[in-house]
Amino acid sequence: MLKGRHLIDPMDFTLEEIQEILVLSEEIILNPNDYSDICKGKILANLFYEPSTRTRFSFEAAMLRLGGQVIGFSEAISSSVSKGESIADTIRTVGCYADISAIRHPKEGSSKIASQYSSIPVINAGDGGHQHPTQTLTDLLTIKSIKGNLDNNVIGICGDLKFGRTVHSLIKSMSRYKNNKFVLISPKKLSIPDYISKEVLKKNNIEYLEIEKMDDVIKDLDILYMTRVQKERFFNEDEYLKLKDSYILNKEKMNKAKEDMIVMHPLPRVNEISYEVDEDPRACYFEQAKYGMYARMALIAKLLGVN
Amino acid sequence: MLKGRHLIDPMDFTLEEIQEILVLSEEIILNPNDYSDICKGKILANLFYEPSTRTRFSFEAAMLRLGGQVIGFSEAISSSVSKGESIADTIRTVGCYADISAIRHPKEGSSKIASQYSSIPVINAGDGGHQHPTQTLTDLLTIKSIKGNLDNNVIGICGDLKFGRTVHSLIKSMSRYKNNKFVLISPKKLSIPDYISKEVLKKNNIEYLEIEKMDDVIKDLDILYMTRVQKERFFNEDEYLKLKDSYILNKEKMNKAKEDMIVMHPLPRVNEISYEVDEDPRACYFEQAKYGMYARMALIAKLLGVN
Amino acid sequence: MLKGRHLIDPMDFTLEEIQEILVLSEEIILNPNDYSDICKGKILANLFYEPSTRTRFSFEAAMLRLGGQVIGFSEAISSSVSKGESIADTIRTVGCYADISAIRHPKEGSSKIASQYSSIPVINAGDGGHQHPTQTLTDLLTIKSIKGNLDNNVIGICGDLKFGRTVHSLIKSMSRYKNNKFVLISPKKLSIPDYISKEVLKKNNIEYLEIEKMDDVIKDLDILYMTRVQKERFFNEDEYLKLKDSYILNKEKMNKAKEDMIVMHPLPRVNEISYEVDEDPRACYFEQAKYGMYARMALIAKLLGVN
């Protein structure tokens, strides 16, 4: 039963509950008109304490396409937080106006705290370097819809694996399905942290490989998940400039990949995928954005119990 | 007849007109579905020249829950005012797009000026230290709904009584009902100004007491209206730090209060009400926020003449 | 066939296509209820990389009054652009969420680039000093509706004719209709650039006069199009202060004008039209704002193919 629940951590839901959401997402994709009014009279409050246009748009479009409405703010400066209000008070007040809320906050754990005081379902729309569960739902729906299966994939993940929040959640989530293997491609300084490699992968006897060069492994991958090198995660400008171009996907590398490999990216990209790759039918990152909207539609409908 | 009118000052409406709005508010609370489409095709323009998330959300949710739509801005920086446009021109243009407007402005009298040039109803959503009439409607609806009566109350008002705009309006409004008594609790430096004590209270022979300590009087109160000590109203930081903690409501003080006393607060609070009080059934400030939305729904419906 | 098209340059559409939009605009004005649901289920994305409240409100109200919904941002700071995303990527992602997009950008050519990557219709809502085609549609609809005819007018255009983007588009557009004459009133330093006077007016044998003083010609005009002297177009403050008051329309000048001359202005005005003129029935600039909303309604409906 998902009605009335919060989604803070990608692992909050069981495999069965995730499945429920994915199935509903695919139903919505097939018959959008059947769902275009199910949230009539409902309001989503988008509390974005830091800007994230893409995620905000995705939530807004999701709610609007279900017939609901949206209120919100898109950065802390235009909110009561400038008057020193706690997030606990904010969510309790917002619960007077809205039926469900999505919270984006630069501080880890903010959504969790909000959910503890909230009378309405809270969705974590990203909290610092911590969690971003609707990105994970997006990724799962994309893989299920395009690859047809969440099991038996060789999943390459490339870029900043140390700080990349979406990557950690993806590994944890895909580890719950059968027989997936991971190829972790990153500079050593940005390699996957122990709490993922030891606590998730080794603990569950999941096969994985850590490697520095994409060229050596791209031919084996079913999925290549590219990530942005986020400038703000680096300690200094030199370090950033030295590393940022190391992991760029281009046509040449794509030529070595399987014909049915798919390329994913949480977006926005800077230059880690060359524009020439966009034309390749295996480039799925814009489709992925669309799946993100459908996954959020299904999630909102489930948490509101209106589907 | 409220259709087509403006609401600039809380005293703009007669007692009968206020009553009309309160009655409609209560009808909406009981049968929200009957009102969920009455503003279909209507647009509210929220012109917020300074941020006030709570008030903005309340207006937006109100309009959306009536089936209407909302356009607006939430701070002056993203508006044409940066090109030097007058508020008279802004409201005349906004009147081409919207059916009703709520204006929040840091400068006293702004809403009044706007209303003089406007072809659509203008609601003052707060202008500087001056007026905030929908907060007053909120307060009246809260008292009427929870206490059952706007007459015969002993009303304690605590905090910054000098600069607190909501407090002045509340006193003026409640003075129009029968047999209410006021207990005004504040540091001397922040006590109620003469134009309220002399012009409103003494002039109308209303019983009131000015006192510095909440402890001495809390046992007599039917309503305790707490207010925030607004940093921006102080002349210097030292003064602020010295006074801000003087008037904090906690469990200990609540123990001395009547069993049916209600605690109100316009929100956001900083620390003038301890979190431990939130659990007390007499703490009504979050309910109050909800009443605020219903009061605004009734007001919008009345000014548009759609109810 | 306008369905699926972009509108980047005011000259993108043929005279017949413009006519189609004007005819639909007038139908919507006459029977708004017939069109109040035609965009149900559709979403407009307003991508405003620089603030322009008026234009943004006009687009939002237009979409909402067609029964559609709106997502967007109103300045670049709250968008992914701060993460370095290209406009090509932004529009491709936005195309996953929305059905049509309006783009306002300080850089010339931005909307054009966006349209080349977009899967949904893109409307240029102003790009730097370049183009602002929906203002042109607004002007044409205003003239057609009030004057009754887009041919045979003597059109005075006053103010900053060098940098004023709306002015250039208006001249190009009105030059396509029969027997219009132009009177171009400006300080010499802000006179019409060669690419308009030579390439458009002379090339098409259109009669025009360049003059410095409004008083000398106002009696001959059917239309007086006033424009703002934009501070940001000047090279220094002194230059601005010296020139800005030179071209102010007041009651005295209006007394010399024809009885059926109309005064237009793209708004916002600063002081180039005295407030005393507002009462004059020939002052049409606020009506013009309303026509702007209707022109955008028709445009959106045509590009979406829903009318």
Side-chain angles (χ1 to χ4, degrees):
Chain A
M1 185 65 173
L2 289 165
K3 184 177 175 179
R5 296 265 294 277
H6 307 295
L7 175 57
I8 306 303
D9 184 299
M11 305 304 272
D12 281 351
F13 293 168
T14 64
L15 273 189
E16 291 67 32
E17 288 166 342
I18 298 274
Q19 182 64 10
E20 246 190 80
I21 292 168
L22 299 180
V23 167
L24 179 57
S25 304
E26 292 181 318
E27 280 177 25
I28 294 172
I29 292 171
L30 288 176
N31 304 296
N33 291 336
D34 292 355
Y35 296 88
S36 65
D37 270 327
I38 59 168
C39 285
K40 192 169 182 312
K42 303 286 183 189
I43 295 176
L44 164 71
N46 261 342
L47 311 183
F48 277 55
Y49 290 83
E50 62 177 6
S52 177
T53 314
R54 183 177 311 280
T55 304
R56 181 167 66 82
F57 277 11
S58 184
F59 272 105
E60 288 184 21
M63 189 55 169
L64 296 172
R65 290 198 183 280
L66 294 169
Q69 292 284 11
V70 183
I71 62 175
F73 52 81
S74 54
E75 44 188 332
I77 206 164
S78 41
S79 88
S80 285
V81 293
S82 59
K83 293 184 188 161
E85 188 180 54
S86 72
I87 199 167
D89 274 19
T90 299
I91 194 66
R92 279 187 284 197
T93 314
V94 164
C96 299
Y97 310 137
D99 301 285
I100 187 167
S101 183
I103 300 180
R104 173 87 166 207
H105 201 289
K107 219 165 143 186
E108 296 186 16
S110 306
S111 300
K112 181 80 188 162
I113 290 169
S115 72
Q116 288 162 347
Y117 288 91
S118 179
S119 60
I120 59 173
V122 169
I123 301 169
N124 181 358
D127 56 343
H130 209 209
Q131 303 292 357
H132 191 17
T134 57
Q135 181 64 51
T136 309
L137 283 178
T138 299
D139 297 341
L140 296 180
L141 180 61
T142 306
I143 296 170
K144 182 170 186 297
S145 297
I146 306 184
K147 297 300 292 182
N149 211 318
L150 288 160
D151 309 310
N152 308 313
N153 291 295
V154 178
I155 305 159
I157 308 182
C158 178
D160 168 7
L161 307 188
K162 188 172 179 185
F163 299 103
R165 120 188 101 190
T166 61
V167 163
H168 303 167
S169 298
L170 182 67
I171 294 173
K172 284 202 263 182
S173 294
M174 289 302 288
S175 294
R176 302 205 288 185
Y177 296 92
K178 286 178 203 152
N179 198 33
N180 287 314
K181 291 169 195 166
F182 295 92
V183 180
L184 306 171
I185 310 157
S186 77
K188 272 184 184 144
K189 288 190 175 181
L190 291 178
S191 69
I192 204 89
D194 278 3
Y195 83 91
I196 296 291
S197 57
K198 290 191 184 156
E199 300 298 314
V200 179
L201 295 170
K202 282 186 190 151
K203 202 171 174 181
N204 295 288
N205 291 314
I206 291 160
E207 210 176 304
Y208 76 97
L209 174 71
E210 289 188 274
I211 198 162
E212 284 197 277
K213 291 199 168 169
M214 202 197 305
D215 298 77
D216 302 340
V217 291
I218 193 167
K219 68 179 194 319
D220 305 317
L221 306 178
D222 299 310
I223 296 160
L224 173 55
Y225 198 102
M226 297 293 297
T227 64
R228 186 157 54 90
V229 178
Q230 290 182 270
K231 198 174 177 179
E232 59 268 35
R233 304 289 180 218
F234 279 83
F235 302 112
N236 64 62
E237 186 83 11
D238 284 353
E239 190 74 3
Y240 170 71
L241 291 172
K242 209 177 76 190
L243 289 171
K244 80 182 169 82
D245 293 337
S246 313
Y247 294 81
I248 294 179
L249 182 64
N250 56 21
K251 216 167 176 174
E252 201 194 325
K253 293 196 185 84
M254 284 300 285
N255 287 338
K256 303 180 188 165
K258 288 187 189 175
E259 266 187 32
D260 65 348
M261 184 191 79
I262 64 171
V263 182
M264 297 172 70
H265 191 298
L267 301 178
R269 72 168 152 187
V270 181
N271 61 353
E272 60 279 3
I273 301 177
S274 299
Y275 278 87
E276 60 187 19
V277 176
D278 297 353
E279 306 302 311
D280 195 304
R282 294 170 292 182
C284 295
Y285 26 93
F286 292 113
E287 267 176 282
Q288 190 180 352
K290 191 135 202 169
Y291 284 117
M293 181 181 71
Y294 289 116
R296 289 179 178 96
M297 288 174 79
L299 175 66
I300 290 168
K302 285 285 178 187
L303 299 186
L304 287 175
V306 295
N307 67 299
Chain B
M1 185 66 172
L2 289 166
K3 184 177 175 179
R5 296 265 294 278
H6 306 295
L7 175 57
I8 305 304
D9 183 298
M11 306 303 274
D12 281 351
F13 293 168
T14 64
L15 272 189
E16 291 66 34
E17 287 166 343
I18 298 274
Q19 181 64 9
E20 247 191 79
I21 291 169
L22 299 181
V23 166
L24 179 57
S25 303
E26 292 181 319
E27 279 176 27
I28 294 173
I29 292 171
L30 288 176
N31 305 295
N33 292 335
D34 291 357
Y35 296 88
S36 64
D37 269 326
I38 59 169
C39 284
K40 192 169 182 314
K42 304 286 184 189
I43 294 176
L44 163 71
N46 261 341
L47 310 183
F48 276 55
Y49 290 83
E50 63 177 6
S52 176
T53 313
R54 183 178 311 279
T55 305
R56 182 168 64 82
F57 277 11
S58 184
F59 272 106
E60 287 184 21
M63 190 56 169
L64 296 172
R65 291 198 184 280
L66 294 169
Q69 293 284 10
V70 182
I71 62 175
F73 52 81
S74 54
E75 44 189 333
I77 205 164
S78 40
S79 89
S80 284
V81 291
S82 59
K83 293 183 187 161
E85 188 181 54
S86 72
I87 199 166
D89 274 19
T90 299
I91 194 66
R92 280 187 285 198
T93 314
V94 165
C96 298
Y97 310 137
D99 302 283
I100 186 167
S101 183
I103 300 180
R104 172 88 167 206
H105 201 290
K107 219 165 144 186
E108 296 185 16
S110 306
S111 300
K112 181 79 189 163
I113 290 169
S115 71
Q116 288 161 348
Y117 289 90
S118 180
S119 61
I120 58 173
V122 169
I123 301 169
N124 180 359
D127 57 343
H130 210 208
Q131 302 292 358
H132 192 16
T134 58
Q135 181 64 51
T136 308
L137 282 178
T138 299
D139 297 341
L140 296 179
L141 180 60
T142 306
I143 294 170
K144 182 169 187 296
S145 298
I146 307 184
K147 297 300 293 181
N149 211 318
L150 288 161
D151 308 311
N152 306 315
N153 291 294
V154 178
I155 306 161
I157 307 183
C158 177
D160 167 7
L161 307 188
K162 187 171 180 186
F163 299 102
R165 119 189 101 190
T166 60
V167 162
H168 304 166
S169 298
L170 181 67
I171 293 172
K172 284 202 264 182
S173 294
M174 288 302 288
S175 294
R176 302 205 288 182
Y177 296 92
K178 286 178 204 151
N179 198 33
N180 288 313
K181 292 170 194 167
F182 294 92
V183 181
L184 305 171
I185 310 157
S186 77
K188 272 183 183 145
K189 288 190 173 179
L190 291 178
S191 68
I192 204 88
D194 278 4
Y195 82 92
I196 295 291
S197 57
K198 289 191 185 157
E199 301 298 314
V200 179
L201 295 171
K202 282 186 190 149
K203 203 172 175 180
N204 295 288
N205 291 314
I206 292 162
E207 209 177 305
Y208 75 98
L209 173 71
E210 288 189 274
I211 197 161
E212 284 197 276
K213 292 200 167 170
M214 200 197 304
D215 297 77
D216 302 340
V217 291
I218 194 168
K219 67 179 194 319
D220 303 319
L221 307 177
D222 298 309
I223 296 162
L224 172 57
Y225 198 100
M226 296 292 298
T227 65
R228 187 156 54 90
V229 178
Q230 289 182 270
K231 199 174 175 176
E232 59 268 37
R233 303 290 179 217
F234 280 82
F235 302 111
N236 63 61
E237 186 82 12
D238 284 352
E239 190 74 3
Y240 169 71
L241 291 172
K242 207 178 77 191
L243 288 171
K244 79 181 170 84
D245 292 337
S246 313
Y247 294 82
I248 294 179
L249 182 64
N250 56 21
K251 216 168 177 174
E252 201 193 325
K253 293 197 185 82
M254 284 299 285
N255 286 337
K256 302 181 188 164
K258 287 188 189 175
E259 265 187 32
D260 65 347
M261 184 191 80
I262 64 172
V263 182
M264 296 174 70
H265 190 298
L267 301 180
R269 72 166 152 187
V270 180
N271 61 352
E272 58 280 2
I273 302 178
S274 299
Y275 279 88
E276 60 186 19
V277 176
D278 296 354
E279 306 304 311
D280 195 304
R282 294 169 291 182
C284 294
Y285 26 94
F286 292 112
E287 266 175 283
Q288 191 180 352
K290 192 135 202 168
Y291 284 116
M293 181 182 71
Y294 290 116
R296 290 180 178 97
M297 289 174 78
L299 175 67
I300 291 169
K302 284 286 177 188
L303 298 186
L304 287 174
V306 294
N307 65 300
Chain C
M1 184 65 172
L2 289 166
K3 184 177 174 178
R5 296 266 294 279
H6 306 294
L7 175 57
I8 306 303
D9 184 298
M11 306 304 272
D12 281 350
F13 293 167
T14 64
L15 272 189
E16 291 66 34
E17 288 165 341
I18 298 275
Q19 182 64 9
E20 246 190 80
I21 292 168
L22 299 181
V23 167
L24 179 56
S25 303
E26 292 182 319
E27 279 176 25
I28 294 173
I29 292 170
L30 287 176
N31 304 295
N33 292 336
D34 292 357
Y35 297 88
S36 65
D37 270 326
I38 61 169
C39 283
K40 193 169 181 312
K42 304 286 184 191
I43 294 176
L44 163 71
N46 261 342
L47 310 183
F48 276 55
Y49 290 83
E50 62 177 7
S52 176
T53 313
R54 184 177 311 279
T55 305
R56 182 167 64 82
F57 278 10
S58 184
F59 272 105
E60 288 184 20
M63 189 55 168
L64 296 172
R65 291 197 183 280
L66 294 169
Q69 293 283 10
V70 183
I71 61 175
F73 52 81
S74 54
E75 44 189 331
I77 206 164
S78 40
S79 88
S80 285
V81 292
S82 59
K83 293 183 187 162
E85 189 181 54
S86 72
I87 199 166
D89 274 18
T90 299
I91 194 68
R92 279 187 286 197
T93 314
V94 164
C96 299
Y97 310 137
D99 302 284
I100 187 167
S101 183
I103 300 181
R104 172 88 167 206
H105 201 290
K107 218 166 144 185
E108 295 187 16
S110 306
S111 300
K112 182 80 188 163
I113 291 170
S115 72
Q116 288 161 347
Y117 289 91
S118 179
S119 60
I120 58 173
V122 169
I123 301 169
N124 181 359
D127 58 342
H130 209 210
Q131 303 291 357
H132 191 17
T134 57
Q135 181 64 52
T136 309
L137 283 178
T138 299
D139 297 341
L140 297 179
L141 179 60
T142 306
I143 295 170
K144 183 170 187 296
S145 298
I146 306 183
K147 297 299 292 180
N149 211 318
L150 288 160
D151 309 312
N152 306 315
N153 292 294
V154 178
I155 306 160
I157 307 183
C158 178
D160 167 7
L161 307 189
K162 186 172 182 186
F163 299 103
R165 119 188 101 189
T166 61
V167 162
H168 304 166
S169 298
L170 181 67
I171 293 172
K172 284 201 265 181
S173 294
M174 289 301 289
S175 293
R176 303 206 288 182
Y177 296 90
K178 286 178 204 153
N179 199 32
N180 288 314
K181 292 170 193 166
F182 294 92
V183 181
L184 306 170
I185 310 157
S186 76
K188 271 184 183 146
K189 288 189 174 181
L190 291 178
S191 70
I192 205 87
D194 278 4
Y195 82 91
I196 295 292
S197 58
K198 290 191 183 155
E199 301 298 314
V200 179
L201 295 170
K202 283 186 187 148
K203 202 171 175 181
N204 294 290
N205 292 314
I206 291 161
E207 208 176 306
Y208 75 97
L209 174 71
E210 288 188 274
I211 198 161
E212 284 196 275
K213 292 199 168 170
M214 202 198 302
D215 299 77
D216 301 341
V217 290
I218 193 167
K219 68 179 192 320
D220 304 318
L221 306 178
D222 299 308
I223 296 160
L224 173 56
Y225 197 101
M226 296 293 298
T227 64
R228 187 156 54 90
V229 178
Q230 290 182 270
K231 198 173 178 178
E232 59 268 36
R233 304 289 179 218
F234 279 82
F235 302 112
N236 63 62
E237 187 82 12
D238 284 352
E239 190 73 4
Y240 170 72
L241 291 172
K242 208 177 77 191
L243 288 171
K244 79 182 170 84
D245 292 337
S246 313
Y247 295 81
I248 294 179
L249 182 64
N250 57 21
K251 216 167 177 174
E252 201 193 325
K253 295 198 185 81
M254 284 300 285
N255 287 339
K256 303 180 187 163
K258 287 188 188 175
E259 267 188 30
D260 65 346
M261 185 191 80
I262 64 171
V263 183
M264 296 173 69
H265 191 298
L267 300 180
R269 72 167 151 185
V270 180
N271 62 351
E272 59 280 2
I273 301 178
S274 298
Y275 279 88
E276 60 187 20
V277 177
D278 297 353
E279 306 303 312
D280 195 303
R282 294 169 292 181
C284 295
Y285 25 93
F286 292 112
E287 266 175 282
Q288 191 179 352
K290 191 135 202 168
Y291 284 118
M293 182 182 70
Y294 289 117
R296 290 180 178 97
M297 288 174 79
L299 175 66
I300 291 169
K302 284 286 179 189
L303 299 186
L304 287 174
V306 295
N307 66 300

